[in-house]
Amino acid sequence: MQDRDYQTECITAVAKGFNDGFMKQLIVVATGGGKTVIFSKISKRFHEKRNERTLILAHREELTSQAIAKLKAATGIDASLEKADSKADRTAPVVVASIQTLQGERLLSWPKAHFGLIVIDEAHHASSPSYRVVI
């Protein structure tokens, strides 16, 4: 999968931001611009460079399915799903989870430092209480 120039620039800028100590970053790309591809490649790079896992949070089933498919297509990573009856593999480099599932006891079953990177698909939801608990 060939990146578009702006996707490459975005991935590079985020990597530089991490190197410069900016641990909270926001990516804004127009609809259809390949945000899922971008965060898939950032997740892969994060795992390869820092040997840390990524948690991708989404609020709709189609977003969790899309993230898993794009991770595989763009990076070769087999992400694990934490949603409803699906329990993620704790050794997976990337876990995609629905925010509705990752609450209460389900959230508490994960060690606090398990993930080095959290990606929120559709970041405008991040200020809601359900996301704040996970973050």
Side-chain angles (χ1 to χ4, degrees):
M1 185 173 287
Q2 183 67 35
D3 293 341
R4 299 175 191 144
D5 290 344
Y6 65 87
Q7 290 172 319
T8 301
E9 289 175 25
C10 185
I11 294 164
T12 301
V14 168
K16 182 181 181 324
F18 284 138
N19 289 337
D20 291 347
F22 296 103
M23 300 313 292
K24 296 177 184 178
Q25 300 185 55
L26 177 67
I27 297 169
V28 179
V29 178
T31 301
K35 289 180 287 293
T36 308
V37 170
I38 292 168
F39 73 63
S40 294
K41 293 195 174 183
I42 290 169
S43 298
K44 181 179 182 180
R45 181 181 263 186
F46 199 84
H47 183 68
E48 289 174 345
K49 301 282 184 188
R50 297 178 182 233
N51 196 32
E52 294 191 55
R53 295 179 185 90
T54 298
L55 171 64
I56 298 171
L57 290 172
H59 70 285
R60 293 193 327 245
E61 182 174 352
E62 54 270 24
L63 295 176
T64 58
S65 301
Q66 179 184 1
I68 288 172
K70 289 290 184 186
L71 274 155
K72 181 67 173 173
T75 68
I77 292 175
D78 285 315
S80 194
L81 179 64
E82 182 79 12
K83 181 180 153 303
D85 292 334
S86 297
K87 305 271 187 186
D89 177 356
R90 302 295 170 117
T91 65
V94 178
V95 170
V96 177
S98 73
I99 191 64
Q100 296 87 349
T101 297
L102 206 57
Q103 298 294 314
E105 291 298 317
R106 193 84 169 253
L107 175 61
L108 294 174
S109 73
W110 289 87
K112 284 189 179 198
H114 191 80
F115 299 103
L117 176 65
I118 299 175
V119 174
I120 301 173
D121 196 347
E122 299 196 14
H124 59 280
H125 293 287
S127 63
S128 71
S130 58
Y131 279 83
R132 298 301 310 157
V133 167
V134 175
I135 296 167

